Amino acid sequence: PWPAMQISTGHGGVAERAVDGSGEGHYDGASCTHTDGSPAGQKQWWRVDMQQEVVVTTLEIVGRADCCEDRTNGYSIFVGDEEPGNLEKNAVCVQDQPHLPKIGGQTVTCTSPVRGRYVYFVIPPGGMLTLCEVEVFGSEAPSAAAAAAKQVL
């Protein structure tokens, strides 16, 4: 799986569970993440490291199916190269969305393609975040050298 991290971990719901390829939406299936709501008053976030710059167009996201769809209320998705302390300086894929559906996954299409190494899923302060699967779709970002060569041709 891709390297993943989150602001905190509760109930054994480590960040890597959302990129394990399972799509299992029941928490007892050991495939969902879980933050513990700390630090108090801060937005809860989860991040996957794509390990190279990519252009993101859509995501397939599975939330929790056995309860707790409110754990994604008001979510936003950011893509870029910024570390967690500056995550909102990354490009916006979508912002202030209603929660994910309780049954099945949801296709999220970015308002426009966004480029970066990290993909963040963020909810407002005051809750816990649970994700059961995140798949990122798009393409490899062209390197600066390749873009420059293309302009020369």
Side-chain angles (χ1 to χ4, degrees), residues 26-47:
H26 290 84
Y27 198 78
D28 61 5
S31 186
C32 298
T33 70
H34 197 305
T35 66
D36 67 7
S38 68
Q42 289 196 20
K43 293 180 178 186
Q44 298 293 290
W45 57 265
W46 173 92
R47 176 183 95 177

Side-chain angles (χ1 to χ4, degrees), residues 26-91:
H26 290 84
Y27 198 78
D28 61 5
S31 186
C32 298
T33 70
H34 197 305
T35 66
D36 67 7
S38 68
Q42 289 196 20
K43 293 180 178 186
Q44 298 293 290
W45 57 265
W46 173 92
R47 176 183 95 177
V48 63
D49 181 350
M50 302 303 294
Q51 300 185 303
Q52 66 181 9
E53 194 165 78
V54 296
V55 177
V56 178
T57 55
T58 58
L59 298 96
E60 282 288 334
I61 306 174
V62 177
R64 195 161 165 183
D66 52 354
C67 77
C68 318
E69 63 267 13
D70 62 321
R71 293 190 181 159
T72 58
N73 275 348
Y75 75 86
S76 298
I77 298 172
F78 298 92
V79 178
D81 298 325
E82 295 290 334
E83 292 295 328
N86 295 316
L87 71 87
E88 291 187 34
K89 290 184 178 179
N90 290 305

Side-chain angles (χ1 to χ4, degrees), residues 60-151:
E60 282 288 334
I61 306 174
V62 177
R64 195 161 165 183
D66 52 354
C67 77
C68 318
E69 63 267 13
D70 62 321
R71 293 190 181 159
T72 58
N73 275 348
Y75 75 86
S76 298
I77 298 172
F78 298 92
V79 178
D81 298 325
E82 295 290 334
E83 292 295 328
N86 295 316
L87 71 87
E88 291 187 34
K89 290 184 178 179
N90 290 305
V92 174
C93 169
V94 295
Q95 202 161 19
D96 302 323
Q97 301 295 299
H99 62 76
L100 296 173
K102 190 172 177 181
I103 303 298
Q106 179 167 328
T107 301
V108 177
T109 302
C110 296
T111 53
S112 64
V114 285
R115 181 178 178 143
R117 174 178 174 170
Y118 304 117
V119 178
Y120 288 91
F121 189 102
V122 184
I123 61 167
M128 293 175 281
L129 172 60
T130 301
L131 297 170
C132 297
E133 192 66 29
V134 177
E135 292 181 89
V136 178
F137 296 93
S139 61
E140 263 185 57
S143 69
K150 198 174 190 180
Q151 289 178 341

